Amino acid sequence: MDLLETIRVENGIAENLNLHLDRMRRSYYFLFKKKLPFDLINTVNNNVNQSSNGLQKCRVVYNKNLIGFKITDYKIPMIKSVRLVEDNSIDYKFKYENRSNINKLFDLRGNTDDVIIVKNGLITDSSYANLLFFDGDRWVTPEKPLLAGVQRQKLLDNKTIYCHNITPDNLKSFQKLRFINAMLRFEDEIDIEIDKIYL
């Protein structure tokens, strides 16, 4: 099955390459029992137009070998509301290119912009982002995300956020929700109020 890595490129600079490389190495070794056979950092840096302006998304697709590489312009999405959906069997611990199970859940969003996936009674991720919740004092992220993202790891490493199990019942103890992923940084402040999370 093909794996995917999405890398933020802003003004010709690829961000968090070492964190992306670490995840790719772990995934590759777990799935194929070998070391990653291509140089991600040189591949990205040799293909990024360092004189470009604005925000771009670099998409790397690989299995046993590098099979796809594409850079496109990116626009930060608008998120105003989300819906809770439940799936106790979903598994996305590796960043697979095939997102059909997640897309089926996304189709349940109704008139909201995205879904938050609940697995075994715990809040995990949205359809495409890790989640942060602000309690008025600090930001916490679900202890068991579907996918441990690179932005999430960076924020944990520098102690900007903390892990905690979060259930639908204790959402009301938080003030707002923030979305982060490889393209959405903490400082982009992609936030919604907690009362914009619907059952």
Side-chain angles (χ1 to χ4, degrees):
M1 186 174 287
D2 295 343
L3 295 161
L4 169 68
E5 203 67 23
T6 302
I7 300 165
R8 179 186 171 108
V9 178
E10 187 165 13
N11 298 327
I13 299 173
E15 300 182 1
N16 299 317
L17 280 178
N18 286 328
L19 288 173
H20 286 287
L21 179 59
D22 286 346
R23 179 165 66 183
M24 290 175 72
R25 284 174 170 164
R26 288 194 305 271
S27 300
Y28 194 91
Y29 190 81
F30 186 92
L31 294 170
F32 305 119
K33 308 305 180 202
K34 295 179 182 179
K35 291 183 179 180
L36 191 69
F38 58 89
D39 187 331
L40 173 72
I41 292 177
N42 280 336
T43 299
V44 172
N45 287 333
N46 288 338
N47 284 277
V48 167
N49 180 356
Q50 296 183 354
S51 63
S52 66
N53 293 315
L55 185 59
Q56 295 177 305
K57 176 168 69 173
C58 173
R59 197 170 186 270
V60 181
V61 182
Y62 66 105
N63 46 39
K64 288 189 176 180
N65 298 293
L66 178 65
I67 59 172
F69 186 94
K70 186 175 183 181
I71 298 176
T72 57
D73 291 340
Y74 183 80
K75 184 177 179 181
I76 291 178
M78 294 291 292
I79 307 169
K80 296 182 179 178
S81 61
V82 294
R83 186 174 306 279
L84 293 180
V85 297
E86 186 173 2
D87 187 330
N88 292 330
S89 62
I90 192 166
D91 181 7
Y92 195 68
K93 62 180 171 285
F94 299 110
K95 192 171 175 64
Y96 293 116
E97 185 184 29
N98 184 338
R99 292 168 42 89
S100 57
N101 290 338
I102 291 176
N103 290 339
K104 287 177 185 175
L105 296 175
F106 180 73
D107 289 342
L108 302 176
R109 69 192 182 283
N111 59 356
T112 67
D113 299 307
D114 200 359
V115 295
I116 290 177
I117 300 164
V118 180
K119 181 176 181 180
N120 298 325
L122 296 175
I123 301 289
T124 62
D125 293 329
S126 81
S127 71
Y128 67 94
N130 290 139
L131 305 174
L132 308 178
F133 294 88
F134 185 63
D135 64 6
D137 179 43
R138 63 180 189 166
W139 290 94
V140 297
T141 190
E143 183 83 38
K144 297 177 181 178
L146 293 181
L147 180 73
V150 295
Q151 287 285 356
R152 178 182 182 273
Q153 189 59 54
K154 179 180 178 180
L155 294 169
L156 286 169
D157 289 346
N158 64 28
K159 298 187 174 11
T160 301
I161 64 172
Y162 301 88
C163 287
H164 200 276
N165 282 333
I166 301 169
T167 68
D169 286 342
N170 50 40
L171 284 176
K172 58 184 175 291
S173 65
F174 297 100
Q175 296 178 5
K176 59 184 174 181
L177 162 63
R178 178 166 294 178
F179 299 82
I180 57 165
N181 62 22
M183 299 301 300
L184 306 177
R185 302 166 303 176
F186 181 82
E187 56 266 34
D188 292 325
E189 297 185 2
I190 309 302
D191 297 347
I192 63 171
E193 300 301 313
I194 289 297
D195 64 5
K196 298 301 182 183
I197 302 174
Y198 299 105
L199 300 177

